[in-house]
């Protein structure tokens, strides 16, 4: 296949996925689910089959998929660690670690037991062992960090009682635990000799301890290196951090530690330290994370045969397992893990139970099973894929609704994003940077800067007029259309001001009035036609015009004929 054709198809896939993100934001559908749908559309059962002579579409082999997904998940976990503030997760460290370890184990055991009896009843996998059932449950035992981070950031959800940092900590730290369980159970299922429970426990403990220690020390080492190093090209700092991410992952793997946990801990240490070009580095990883998610979900969509998902055994077993995980396994594991933590209310625990989103991670673990030659790996892959779609649809689309119904949601303070000023403030500065546009109302009391009304603890530090910028003083004259760069410590009052201005603009929009006038006119005309009445023309009222002369009846056809005669 020509390289140019591959690049053309990839660019079309990326464009389609990027624009579906806008659709997802508008209708509340997780963008990751739409990425997956685009991949399936161009997959072997979609229009992708038209591009290949053999008619099988763009199928990615298991080895390539495993390598790409490993790199993507490594970047996502590292970036998630960088964005997590230690000051936020410190109060929820104990419940977060409990959910990420014991919660994953309980979810796997409960789900695995039910899977064993469900598959035995449906005969979907002949002679399935309890080890294979536990393996399938282990692949789906964690909440996917990419899904949770993406949906919560996109929806801008505010949560009470430190639930947001708790969910971020759990979703970022439970993937390593699920990975350890999956790899250990793969060894149990494929091993020629029997593996004892003690050996499994030893493997889990060693990997978790090694991953934490290596991630911590290498993260600290990188921070010290960046503080002492002065690179001539500042663009190399983000690349240095990316290199460190890959290095930490690789070293931990060869030292028999948990590589995914190591990169998450390393990202956590690096993100909470001061170093050169920190904001530039975090922006770089934000874009890289979205690219990794996009590639991962597109790739997974290209691998699946939608026709195989409609097999009755796969469909029924997938739906049953989804219901079990959403309604039994996850809630039971959460409630048992949260018993020691009395400060969390019943609604808090119910919301934690609902936010058990599955994403790409379970499917990646299913790919690992295929690569390792696990029996019935194809059926396992299809069932896990179906469970992931059900989770994203049911839980991902209702996350905001459930938060409001359970009264754990808070109204986020939304300031206007900077569009005309490309600046960023250091994290140490607690003030918020926003912008406002000068309107007729803004300068109603005077056009000088000192005469406009702004909230307290707010400072206007720059003005953009067309393509020119200048630092204003109290004597500066403002014009309608000027963009003001604002620095404020009063986020609440500033956000309320934006909301009031937007509501007023909506009321004054000519388009809205035009639509209302047009609608009333159409209704009036239809009523007169229906009642066989002559049409009327409504004239604009003037001060000299009497009310009874506002309407003039148009002559009917008979009257026109009589006038002509």
């Amino acid at each position: 296949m020509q390289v140019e054709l591959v690049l053309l198809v990839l660019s079309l896939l990326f464009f389609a996925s990027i624009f579906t993100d806008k659709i997802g934001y508008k209708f509340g559908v997780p963008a990751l689910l739409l990425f997956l749908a685009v991949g399936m559309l161009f997959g072997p059962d979609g229009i992708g089959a038209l591009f290949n002579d053999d008619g099988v579409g763009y199928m990615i082999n298991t080895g390539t998929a495993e390598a790409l997904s490993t790199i993507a998940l490594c970047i996502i976990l590292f970036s998630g660690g960088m964005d997590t503030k230690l000051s936020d997760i410190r109060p929820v460290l104990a419940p977060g670690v409990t959910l990420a370890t014991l919660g994953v184990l309980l979810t796997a055991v409960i789900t695995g037991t039910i899977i064993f009896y469900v598959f035995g009843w449906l005969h979907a996998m002949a002679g399935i062992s309890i080890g294979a059932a536990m393996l399938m449950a282990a692949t789906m035992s964690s909440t996917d960090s990419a899904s949770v981070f993406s949906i919560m950031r996109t929806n801008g959800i505010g949560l009470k009682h430190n639930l947001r940092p708790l969910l971020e900590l759990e979703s970022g730290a439970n993937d390593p635990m699920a990975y350890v369980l999956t790899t250990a159970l793969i060894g149990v299922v494929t091993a020629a000799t029997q593996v004892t429970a003690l050996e499994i426990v030893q493997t889990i403990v060693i990997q978790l301890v090694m991953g934490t220690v290596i991630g911590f020390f290498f993260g600290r080492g990188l921070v010290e290196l960046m503080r002492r190093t002065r690179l001539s090209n500042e663009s190399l700092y983000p690349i240095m951090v990316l290199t460190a991410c890959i290095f930490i992952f690789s070293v931990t793997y060869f030292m028999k530690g948990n590589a995914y946990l190591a990169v998450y801990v390393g990202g956590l240490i690096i993100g909470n330290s001061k170093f050169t070009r920190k904001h530039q580095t975090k922006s770089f990883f934000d874009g890289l994370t979205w690219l990794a998610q996009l590639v991962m979900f597109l790739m997974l969509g290209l691998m699946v045969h939608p026709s195989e998902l409609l097999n009755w055994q796969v469909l029924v077993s997938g739906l049953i397992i989804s219901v079990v995980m959403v309604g039994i396994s996850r809630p039971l594991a959460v409630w048992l893990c949260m018993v020691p933590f009395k400060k969390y209310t019943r609604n808090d625990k119910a919301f934690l139970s609902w936010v058990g989103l599955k994403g790409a991670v379970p499917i990646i673990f299913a790919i690992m099973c295929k690569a390792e030659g696990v029996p019935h790996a194809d059926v396992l892959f299809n069932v896990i894929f179906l469970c992931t779609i059900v989770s994203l649809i049911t839980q991902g689309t209702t996350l905001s609704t459930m938060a409001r119904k359970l009264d754990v949601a808070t109204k986020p303070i939304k300031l206007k994003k900077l569009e005309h000023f490309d600046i960023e403030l250091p994290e140490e500065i607690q003030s918020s940077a926003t912008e406002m546009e000068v309107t007729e109302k803004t300068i109603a009391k005077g056009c000088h800067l000192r005469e406009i009304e702004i909230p307290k603890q707010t400072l206007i530090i720059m003005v953009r007029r067309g393509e020119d910028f200048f630092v204003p003083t109290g004597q500066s004259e403002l014009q309608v259309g000027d963009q003001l760069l604002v620095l404020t410590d009063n986020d609440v009052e500033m956000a309320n001001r934006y909301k009031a201005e937007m509501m007023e603009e909506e009321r004054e929009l000519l388009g809205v009035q035009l639509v209302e006038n047009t609608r009333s006119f159409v209704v009036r005309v239809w009523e007169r036609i229906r009642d066989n009445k002559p049409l009327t023309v409504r004239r604009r009222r003037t001060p000299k015009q009497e009310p009874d002369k506002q309407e003039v009846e148009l002559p009917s056809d008979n009257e026109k004929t009589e006038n002509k005669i």
Side-chain angles (χ1 to χ4, degrees):
M1 185 182 300
Q2 292 182 346
V3 176
E4 292 80 6
L5 179 58
V6 174
L7 293 176
L8 174 62
V9 174
L10 285 176
S11 61
L12 292 176
L13 284 171
F14 275 59
F15 271 124
S17 302
I18 290 169
F19 287 113
T20 54
D21 176 60
K22 187 69 174 179
I23 300 174
Y25 179 79
K26 183 177 180 63
F27 295 100
V29 180
L32 304 179
L33 180 62
L34 298 176
F35 294 169
L36 199 64
V38 171
M40 295 173 66
L41 177 65
F42 283 83
D45 290 350
I47 61 176
L50 302 176
F51 291 90
N52 278 358
D53 295 334
D54 53 6
V56 296
Y58 288 103
M59 288 296 293
I60 300 177
N61 61 60
T62 304
T64 303
E66 185 179 16
L68 291 176
S69 58
T70 298
I71 298 172
L73 185 57
C74 173
I75 293 173
I76 291 170
L77 288 174
F78 186 83
S79 179
M82 288 188 65
D83 291 336
T84 303
K85 295 182 179 180
L86 281 174
S87 58
D88 292 338
I89 68 171
R90 192 173 287 114
V92 298
L93 192 60
V97 173
T98 303
L99 287 173
T101 52
L102 182 60
V104 170
L105 182 61
L106 289 173
T107 302
V109 171
I110 297 170
T111 308
T113 303
I114 298 176
I115 287 176
F116 177 73
Y117 289 104
V118 168
F119 274 98
W121 172 58
L122 293 174
H123 304 287
M125 290 168 60
I128 183 175
S129 63
I130 186 66
M134 290 294 174
L135 172 60
M136 179 180 290
T139 60
M140 297 184 291
S141 57
S142 66
T143 57
D144 187 67
S145 58
S147 302
V148 174
F149 292 151
S150 174
I151 293 173
M152 295 187 70
R153 289 171 185 167
T154 301
N155 294 343
I157 300 173
L159 298 175
K160 301 177 181 177
H161 310 148
N162 282 336
L163 289 179
R164 180 171 181 137
L166 176 59
L167 287 171
E168 289 184 346
L169 175 60
E170 182 206 2
S171 62
N174 64 9
D175 288 338
M177 181 64 181
Y179 173 77
V180 172
L181 286 177
T182 301
T183 53
L185 289 170
I186 287 176
V188 171
V189 173
T190 59
T193 59
Q194 188 174 3
V195 181
T196 64
L198 180 60
E199 293 176 341
I200 296 177
V201 173
Q202 289 177 344
T203 302
I204 293 175
V205 172
I206 292 174
Q207 287 205 13
L208 292 179
V209 172
M210 290 291 293
T212 304
V213 172
I214 295 174
F216 176 81
F217 282 105
F218 276 98
R220 294 293 301 172
L222 176 66
V223 172
E224 292 298 325
L225 177 64
M226 295 187 68
R227 286 175 179 174
R228 299 174 184 273
T229 303
R230 292 293 179 266
L231 300 178
S232 58
N233 191 339
E234 295 179 349
S235 301
L236 293 176
Y237 284 104
I239 299 177
M240 179 188 292
V241 178
L242 175 61
T243 306
C245 167
I246 300 173
F247 178 78
I248 292 173
F249 181 87
S250 305
V251 169
T252 309
Y253 173 81
F254 287 109
M255 295 181 68
K256 306 301 181 184
N258 191 314
Y260 292 116
L261 180 59
V263 294
Y264 179 76
V265 173
L268 192 65
I269 298 300
I270 295 171
N272 286 272
S273 303
K274 298 179 182 179
F275 56 88
T276 305
R277 295 297 172 184
K278 180 179 179 179
H279 177 74
Q280 182 181 352
T281 301
K282 295 186 72 172
S283 299
F284 171 79
F285 269 92
D286 285 341
L288 199 61
T289 299
W290 272 106
L291 177 62
Q293 293 178 21
L294 195 154
V295 170
M296 190 162 54
F297 276 82
L298 279 177
M299 177 194 66
L300 297 175
L302 291 171
M303 289 188 65
V304 70
H305 286 270
S307 58
E308 295 180 357
L309 299 178
L310 299 179
N311 179 281
W312 76 270
Q313 291 179 327
V314 173
L315 189 61
V316 173
S317 58
L319 293 177
I320 292 176
I321 294 171
S322 298
V323 172
V324 166
M325 298 201 72
V326 173
I328 300 177
S329 303
R330 170 72 180 181
L332 187 57
V334 168
W335 284 77
L336 289 175
C337 290
M338 300 300 288
V339 168
F341 310 104
K342 304 298 183 182
K343 67 176 183 179
Y344 292 97
T345 65
R346 182 177 299 177
N347 285 354
D348 295 340
K349 297 174 184 178
F351 183 73
L352 290 173
S353 302
W354 186 252
V355 190
L357 281 85
K358 311 304 172 191
V361 174
I363 307 175
I364 292 172
F365 291 162
I367 294 174
M368 290 173 52
C369 295
K370 293 178 68 173
E372 298 295 331
V374 173
H376 309 290
D378 291 334
V379 177
L380 183 145
F381 177 86
N382 290 328
V383 171
I384 292 175
F385 193 94
L386 183 61
C387 291
T388 298
I389 294 178
V390 172
S391 175
L392 286 173
I393 293 175
T394 57
Q395 296 171 293
T397 57
T398 58
L399 193 147
S400 302
T401 303
M402 291 298 294
R404 288 191 294 268
K405 287 187 176 181
L406 293 172
D407 194 28
V408 297
T410 59
K411 294 182 179 180
I413 300 174
K414 293 184 178 180
L415 294 179
K416 187 176 182 181
K417 294 183 179 180
L418 295 178
E419 297 180 1
H420 302 87
F421 302 90
D422 189 13
I423 68 166
E424 292 291 343
L425 300 177
E427 293 182 352
E428 293 77 11
I429 298 179
Q430 300 300 321
S431 304
S432 301
T434 182
E435 65 179 51
M436 57 182 292
E437 182 177 354
V438 177
T439 62
E440 294 285 354
K441 184 178 180 180
T442 307
I443 56 177
K445 296 182 179 181
C447 61
H448 294 93
L449 180 62
R450 68 175 186 273
E451 296 172 324
I452 70 172
E453 295 182 355
I454 59 175
K456 296 180 180 179
Q457 299 176 325
T458 301
L459 181 65
I460 298 174
I461 59 178
M462 189 171 291
V463 178
R464 174 172 177 170
R465 182 172 296 164
E467 298 298 326
D468 298 326
F469 296 84
F470 63 90
V471 178
T473 64
Q475 300 295 329
S476 299
E477 293 186 4
L478 302 179
Q479 300 178 5
V480 175
D482 287 351
Q483 300 294 333
L484 309 180
L485 177 60
V486 180
L487 199 64
T488 181
D489 289 336
N490 196 345
D491 292 0
V492 176
E493 189 174 345
M494 201 71 191
N496 291 335
R497 173 170 179 158
Y498 285 142
K499 185 176 180 180
E501 290 179 354
M502 290 178 62
M503 293 177 63
E504 185 174 350
E505 287 178 2
E506 290 178 358
R507 287 195 300 267
E508 295 177 353
L509 278 177
L510 179 62
V512 175
Q513 297 176 359
L514 182 62
V515 169
E516 293 297 328
N517 293 339
T518 304
R519 183 183 301 160
S520 61
F521 173 75
V522 172
V523 171
R524 190 171 67 252
V525 171
W526 165 247
E527 289 176 350
R528 288 188 171 274
I529 294 175
R530 181 192 60 191
D531 300 335
N532 198 21
K533 293 181 179 180
L535 299 179
T536 59
V537 177
R538 190 179 299 273
R539 293 180 178 177
R540 186 181 299 275
R541 179 182 296 181
T542 60
K544 296 181 180 181
Q545 191 175 15
E546 297 296 330
D548 56 351
K549 296 181 181 180
Q550 291 180 16
E551 292 187 354
V552 178
E553 290 192 356
L554 296 175
S556 62
D557 294 339
N558 294 333
E559 292 174 343
K560 291 180 180 179
T561 305
E562 292 175 359
N563 292 335
K564 290 181 179 179
I565 296 174

